[in-house]
Amino acid sequence: MEKVEKTQENISRCICLNCPSYTSVCRAKNAPFATNQSTQNLKARTHYEKMFCAFEKSNCIHLNKGCICERCANFKDYELTNCTYCIHTGGVSECQSL
C-alpha cells in the first residue's frame, strides 16, 4: 500500500468531509478549524481533521455511518485498499461502499 502524500493538492481533492460518518456535529465542532487549518509543514504533521488516509484518524468521528473512501481520487491514485481511515488510523481492509 502506498501512503498518500501530505500535499495541498491532495488535501484539495479529499472528500472526507462529505462522508456520512462526518456528521453535522463534527462539522459544527470543527468549523473553526476546517477553514483555518494551516497547511504549513504538512509533512511533519500527524493529525489534520481531513484526509485521514494520510494522517491519523479523526478526533471527532467515532461511528461508521458509511464510507466513501473508494470514491476519492486520492484513494484511486494511490491504489489504496483499506477504508474507514477516519475511525482507524491506517484504515481497515473491510470496505463497504455506499
Side-chain angles (χ1 to χ4, degrees):
M1 176 178 87
E2 179 137 2
K3 188 162 179 134
V4 177
E5 289 182 72
K6 298 174 183 177
T7 65
Q8 180 60 47
E9 179 185 358
N10 285 342
I11 286 173
S12 68
R13 298 177 346 143
C14 172
I15 62 171
C16 287
L17 302 186
N18 296 323
C19 183
S21 296
Y22 200 81
T23 63
S24 57
V25 172
C26 286
R27 281 183 185 74
K29 179 179 176 182
N30 291 301
F33 304 109
T35 56
N36 297 322
Q37 285 192 85
S38 172
T39 55
Q40 297 275 39
N41 206 16
L42 283 174
K43 292 184 192 310
R45 293 180 75 162
T46 56
H47 185 78
Y48 194 82
E49 197 62 26
K50 191 174 183 178
M51 203 165 77
F52 305 113
C53 58
F55 297 94
E56 61 186 27
K57 68 182 181 170
S58 172
N59 288 337
C60 183
I61 301 170
H62 304 290
L63 182 62
N64 183 356
K65 294 187 175 195
C67 182
I68 60 171
C69 287
E70 292 177 314
R71 297 182 197 169
C72 182
N74 290 326
F75 184 95
K76 294 172 187 169
D77 289 353
Y78 285 88
E79 299 177 354
L80 300 179
T81 56
N82 289 348
C83 291
T84 62
Y85 293 93
C86 59
I87 300 171
H88 307 279
T89 297
V92 295
S93 59
E94 299 87 31
C95 292
Q96 296 175 351
S97 302
L98 292 178

